Amino acid sequence: MALDLDTFLVTVYCVIDDLYQETFAAHKPVRPGAEPAMSDSEVLAVVVLTQWQQSRSESAFLQYVRQHWRAYFPRVLSQSAFNRRARDLMGVLCALGPLLSRRLDQILESTPPYEVLDTVPVPLMRRCRGDRQHLFGLEAAIGQGGSDKDWYYGVSLLGAVTPSGFLSGFVLGPANTQERWLAEALLRWRQAPTAPPPSAADLAPLVGPSHKRGGRVGPTGPLAPRQGVGTASGAPYLADLGFAGQAWQQHWSQDYGARVLTKADYAQGADPQGAARWVASLRQVVETVFHTLSARFGLTFPRARTYWGLLTRLGAKSAAFNLAVYSQSPLQPLHVCDLRPAWIMCITRLK
């Protein structure tokens, strides 16, 4: 049953306020001056709701809130003051998504049997402009993303997604950053939140020499935010071949207790029926998240050929795996909360 606007706005605010008061309020620095007109929870709620109303710009949405939602937000700041408060709370905003996913697991009294690791291209501007501007510095770059490997200017987002479709953690890096380095940052900071960012020299003794000319290339720019990686769990991670590598997977397992499984592991004799069930869920989760991003933010994600090839391979081995169920394009999306991708886009737009 669809919720009315009143219930929706109250629910969004209450969830954000509860998480903020429990986790962040006690660590807020005391600053001189008068009490702010809007509370931190109100600012965070409006920032999230801004991504819910994609038909308006941020300034237009703030004006809409000032005119139509005064009963819910009676003291709306000016645009410049609101922007300063939103940037000041960026670290809190980064941590809200993983906290919400963990809270829902506690409410449902269930532990996700696995998490899906995959990268999503996040364009920040047209590629022709990205070649000539210096707005983002080293934080963004020209890279290829998506199943069609199209070129774009922006960042690459690595997300860890539960079978329910909730984002349990994420890391952002320049678009030309190799996927393993994003996974290394996420798994490292889940295990040790204060650890330094990964580098090629740091991991050379662990993953061995590189066969590429010029040696191994590490992260091409800063990886962030460490507040958004979430918490470690004992569940395995399902990923595509971009994360494959015996030395890498052995390092993640021994040093972080993270078992990362790819198509190469399934081909080496893993349980085909169990793998088929896992990969079927993996495809459904990934396409559900991509479908939600596409519907909400106008991003396009062609069919993931990597997963399709993996499903075809496993479908021939397992009679219990009905490949026809997953051959529809696009898949009918599951019940996905509209706020799930909002955490991602909020961070990108604020940055």
Side-chain angles (χ1 to χ4, degrees):
M1 183 177 68
L3 299 177
D4 57 15
L5 179 62
D6 179 79
T7 305
F8 174 69
L9 294 177
V10 172
T11 301
V12 170
Y13 173 79
C14 290
V15 170
I16 291 176
D17 184 62
D18 289 345
L19 291 174
Y20 177 80
Q21 296 299 332
E22 293 177 10
T23 310
F24 306 104
H27 305 285
K28 179 181 178 180
V30 179
R31 294 172 179 170
E35 191 75 15
M38 290 184 70
S39 67
D40 290 345
S41 299
E42 288 178 314
V43 174
L44 290 169
V46 173
V47 170
V48 172
L49 291 169
T50 304
Q51 308 308 314
W52 174 59
Q53 287 281 347
Q54 282 295 298
S55 59
R56 301 182 178 91
S57 64
E58 293 179 354
S59 58
F61 182 79
L62 197 63
Q63 182 65 23
Y64 179 86
V65 173
R66 189 178 292 109
Q67 293 178 355
H68 300 280
W69 290 354
R70 186 169 293 275
Y72 306 98
F73 304 98
R75 298 170 295 179
V76 181
L77 301 173
S78 65
Q79 185 67 52
S80 59
F82 183 84
N83 290 342
R84 289 194 296 270
R85 292 285 301 282
R87 294 190 184 97
D88 187 51
L89 292 168
M90 186 192 303
V92 177
L93 188 65
C94 293
L96 276 178
L99 281 178
L100 178 60
S101 177
R102 187 172 60 182
R103 173 61 58 85
L104 291 176
D105 291 337
Q106 295 173 354
I107 294 174
L108 299 175
E109 297 182 353
S110 64
T111 302
Y114 61 87
E115 296 183 31
V116 176
L117 283 181
D118 205 358
T119 54
V120 178
V122 182
L124 298 179
M125 61 176 58
R126 294 185 181 275
R127 191 179 61 181
C128 60
R129 291 188 60 195
D131 289 330
R132 300 188 299 270
Q133 65 82 44
H134 303 283
L135 175 63
F136 296 97
L138 297 177
E139 298 172 347
I142 300 290
Q144 289 179 291
S147 58
D148 58 348
K149 300 299 181 184
D150 192 18
W151 292 93
Y152 71 100
Y153 177 84
V155 297
S156 179
L157 184 145
L158 171 68
V161 185
T162 65
S164 300
F166 285 95
L167 191 71
S168 65
F170 68 96
V171 169
L172 291 165
N176 57 355
T177 303
Q178 209 272 341
E179 290 179 317
R180 294 191 187 98
W181 292 107
L182 296 174
E184 170 67 22
L186 185 139
L187 298 176
R188 170 182 292 201
W189 288 336
R190 281 190 168 188
Q191 189 71 20
T194 59
S199 63
D202 182 21
L203 263 70
L206 300 176
V207 297
S210 174
H211 300 288
K212 294 183 178 180
R213 180 180 299 178
R216 177 174 286 104
V217 178
T220 59
L223 306 180
R226 65 176 67 215
Q227 302 98 323
V229 299
T231 57
S233 66
Y237 297 89
L238 303 183
D240 57 24
L241 287 178
F243 302 87
Q246 184 177 1
W248 284 92
Q249 292 172 271
Q250 185 176 2
H251 156 59
W252 292 332
S253 177
Q254 293 179 353
D255 296 334
Y256 306 140
R259 186 184 180 194
V260 180
L261 302 176
T262 67
K263 175 181 176 180
D265 300 301
Y266 301 145
Q268 292 175 0
D271 173 28
Q273 293 188 3
R277 290 192 297 270
W278 277 11
V279 176
S281 299
L282 179 148
R283 176 180 169 87
Q284 198 168 24
V285 168
V286 171
E287 291 205 9
T288 298
V289 175
F290 283 7
H291 179 91
T292 306
L293 288 168
S294 176
R296 278 291 166 197
F297 306 109
L299 302 180
T300 57
F301 301 94
R303 173 179 293 183
R305 302 185 183 90
T306 302
Y307 296 121
W308 180 250
L310 178 54
L311 289 172
T312 305
R313 183 182 183 89
L314 293 175
K317 295 182 178 180
S318 175
F321 179 59
N322 186 5
L323 188 63
V325 175
Y326 300 96
S327 62
Q328 305 171 12
S329 179
L331 289 175
Q332 293 297 323
L334 300 175
H335 176 68
V336 179
C337 176
D338 290 338
L339 291 179
R340 288 178 199 169
W343 313 108
I344 303 175
M345 303 308 295
C346 281
I347 303 305
T348 304
R349 294 183 62 146
L350 284 174
K351 192 62 178 176

